[in-house]
Amino acid sequence: PIETDEKIQAVITVKEFDENNYFIMGTKKGLIKKTQMSQYASIRKNGLNAINLKDGDELIGVRMTTGESEIIIFTRNGYAIRFKETDVRPMGRTATGVRAITLRDGDITVSMDIVAEDQDVLVISENGFGKRTHISEYTAHRRGGKGIITYKITEKTGAIAGARVVKDGDEMMLINSS
């Protein structure tokens, strides 16, 4: 993401706008949207709307997919849901999206990623604690459920700051506000 004075913008490098590939977008309020890449091929100089966000909602992630991927979404209060991308129908550029996860009171989504078999999930808390779990521990469910516990939140650990699907050899940089 690129942070500007007004907002955070996601940047994805695309060489071809293949109509068989999709952009998956996740929001803070637990919505997900799937749009064919070809809908973004003709960009005007003033840009294109990629998603309509409801008041108070924000984009938390964008990923490129093949249409047959699995998605995993994580919440600040330690829940995660894994589901098939085929559970999300393709939508137009200006659509809002559909429910990816049913959030509990006071919760928000903090991260979204594409599932890759034989990889792990790395969850990092606000107080710097981390947990790495094999992706097979996250069973697939239907889109819109409440999710499973991925990390027990305590006063010591703090809430979830972020999560990613990782593999051996990946490098990561973590930066705090201090």
Side-chain angles (χ1 to χ4, degrees):
I2 297 174
E3 191 167 340
T4 66
D5 291 339
E6 297 175 12
K7 56 190 166 190
I8 295 177
Q9 302 172 354
V11 176
I12 295 179
T13 303
V14 177
K15 293 181 181 177
E16 292 181 21
F17 288 90
D18 186 347
E19 67 182 45
N20 296 321
N21 288 337
Y22 296 88
F23 286 124
I24 292 280
M25 300 173 214
T27 74
K28 181 172 85 170
K29 289 190 175 181
L31 298 179
I32 191 162
K33 179 184 167 189
K34 173 179 167 180
T35 307
Q36 273 188 321
M37 281 180 65
S38 60
Q39 292 198 24
Y40 301 94
S42 301
I43 297 179
R44 299 181 291 266
K45 66 180 165 175
N46 63 342
L48 292 175
N49 283 340
I51 186 171
N52 279 336
L53 296 172
K54 295 179 181 178
D55 287 342
D57 207 356
E58 297 174 21
L59 194 63
I60 59 143
V62 180
R63 300 284 184 271
M64 265 190 315
T65 69
T66 61
E68 299 295 323
S69 303
E70 287 189 348
I71 311 298
I72 190 163
I73 294 182
F74 304 90
T75 74
R76 180 178 58 195
N77 290 343
Y79 292 91
I81 190 165
R82 175 182 175 175
F83 57 90
K84 294 178 190 237
E85 178 184 348
T86 54
D87 287 353
V88 182
R89 67 173 175 77
M91 299 169 212
R93 283 187 303 102
T94 58
T96 301
V98 295
R99 184 169 313 282
I101 186 168
T102 300
L103 296 171
R104 291 162 174 84
D105 288 342
D107 206 359
I108 60 169
T109 59
V110 294
S111 187
M112 174 190 79
D113 214 343
I114 304 298
V115 171
E117 293 305 322
D118 296 325
Q119 292 193 0
D120 298 321
V121 170
L122 177 64
V123 178
I124 305 294
S125 74
E126 290 175 342
N127 292 340
F129 290 88
K131 175 182 161 185
R132 187 171 170 176
T133 309
H134 195 271
I135 195 72
S136 63
E137 299 284 326
Y138 295 85
T139 56
H141 295 271
R142 302 270 315 161
R143 172 187 64 78
K146 287 194 166 199
I148 61 171
I149 296 173
T150 188
Y151 198 84
K152 186 172 166 102
I153 303 301
T154 65
E155 196 171 303
K156 178 182 172 184
T157 64
I160 300 298
R164 290 298 302 250
V165 175
V166 297
K167 63 184 181 305
D168 288 340
D170 281 352
E171 294 183 16
M172 193 166 281
M173 182 183 302
L174 305 173
I175 302 171
N176 68 22
S177 60
S178 301

